[in-house]
Amino acid sequence: MGGSNSKDNPAADCPVVGQGEASSCPIPEDQRSIAVYNVYNQRIDSGNAASTSNPLGDVDPRNNMPREANQQPCAGQRQLISTSRLVSNIPKGGTQGTWVYPSPQMFYNSLKRKGKGSDVEEADMEAVVHAHNTMNELTWRRVLEWEALHHDTCGHPKLLRFMGKPHDLSPMARLMGWIGGPMPFDRHDWFVDRCGEEVRYVIDFYFDDDKAGSPEAFTLRVRPAVDTPTAALDRVKMNIYTTFAKYGLPCPITGHASGQFKQPNAEVRTNS
């Protein structure tokens, strides 16, 4: 989770990105958002005490998700599945820590609850969760590339919460479908705490059947939702910077040389 340099991120060569050490957040900690969310997009801090007053296993009617993580084997399960969880590299909003990924057992239970586990074997879950975690790490790296545009005002963005929207096509995905492009198999909306400002990102996940079994099978498109003029301007800026970098041209504003995007490998750490 180290900082990006100009070789890894063309935007780092342009004046919208700060130079040198990461700047401290201009908003004092006690004035920043202290909202804390769980993996089900529910507030679990004192701002929503009701979220902690429900019995284990109860289902929240707002999202049809359990209020508490379920690590117990589900009905009909034929073999034990690991309950170990991995600690991500993604900073968690409202805390000093990072998000923790679901265990293979939790993931299996979630698939069964949603009616999506008919073709999933217990023995597959380690690989499934590994792919899930890797995609999330890559997604956060892409988010940080966009957040580098605001490095001068916020050097330490955090992921506040997220929502899965597999049945809601983003405008870009719908447009790509109209012109015969591939359709995403999933969509997430991630909400980033930019030093007190909540910023929404839209992520479309794609799978290429022709490349199944290879790292190139999965692709993702990450961009800030056009909820504000700032987000729209960020899209314009990033398109200019990446286009110039793609052809090895210097930044059109500073004249500094820019390298192409190079996505670092994603890693997760064991939660001992």
Side-chain angles (χ1 to χ4, degrees), residues 65-216:
M65 297 289 285
R67 298 185 189 276
E68 300 292 342
N70 179 14
Q71 290 272 39
Q72 299 301 315
C74 68
Q77 185 173 319
R78 292 171 294 181
Q79 65 183 68
L80 293 177
I81 302 176
S82 172
T83 58
S84 297
R85 304 180 66 180
L86 297 180
V87 177
S88 78
N89 290 307
I90 305 174
K92 184 173 184 178
T95 76
Q96 296 301 313
T98 60
W99 285 90
V100 180
Y101 288 123
S103 69
Q105 180 67 67
M106 292 167 61
F107 207 98
Y108 184 78
N109 292 347
S110 177
L111 290 175
K112 290 296 185 180
R113 183 181 63 255
K114 297 175 182 178
K116 299 181 179 180
S118 58
D119 58 345
V120 177
E121 300 291 337
E122 291 89 338
D124 298 333
M125 293 314 301
E126 293 278 358
V128 169
V129 170
H130 175 74
H132 166 270
N133 296 353
T134 299
M135 289 297 290
N136 278 283
E137 294 289 330
L138 291 175
T139 300
W140 182 246
R141 298 288 183 98
R142 299 287 178 84
V143 167
L144 290 181
E145 289 173 0
W146 288 95
E147 287 298 303
L149 297 174
H150 301 275
H151 191 274
D152 281 341
T153 56
C154 184
H156 305 284
K158 297 182 178 184
L159 177 60
L160 183 64
R161 57 192 178 95
F162 52 89
M163 297 178 64
K165 294 186 173 182
H167 305 298
D168 296 338
L169 287 177
S170 67
M172 179 183 291
R174 182 173 287 107
L175 176 61
M176 295 298 293
W178 285 343
I179 62 177
M183 302 300 289
F185 69 85
D186 199 4
R187 169 193 168 179
H188 283 183
D189 281 12
W190 285 21
F191 298 82
V192 172
D193 176 9
R194 184 184 292 162
C195 293
E197 177 187 2
E198 185 173 303
V199 181
R200 182 169 67 97
Y201 280 82
V202 178
I203 303 100
D204 289 321
F205 298 89
Y206 295 83
F207 182 80
D208 188 341
D209 290 324
D210 294 335
K211 298 180 180 179
S214 70
E216 293 77 22

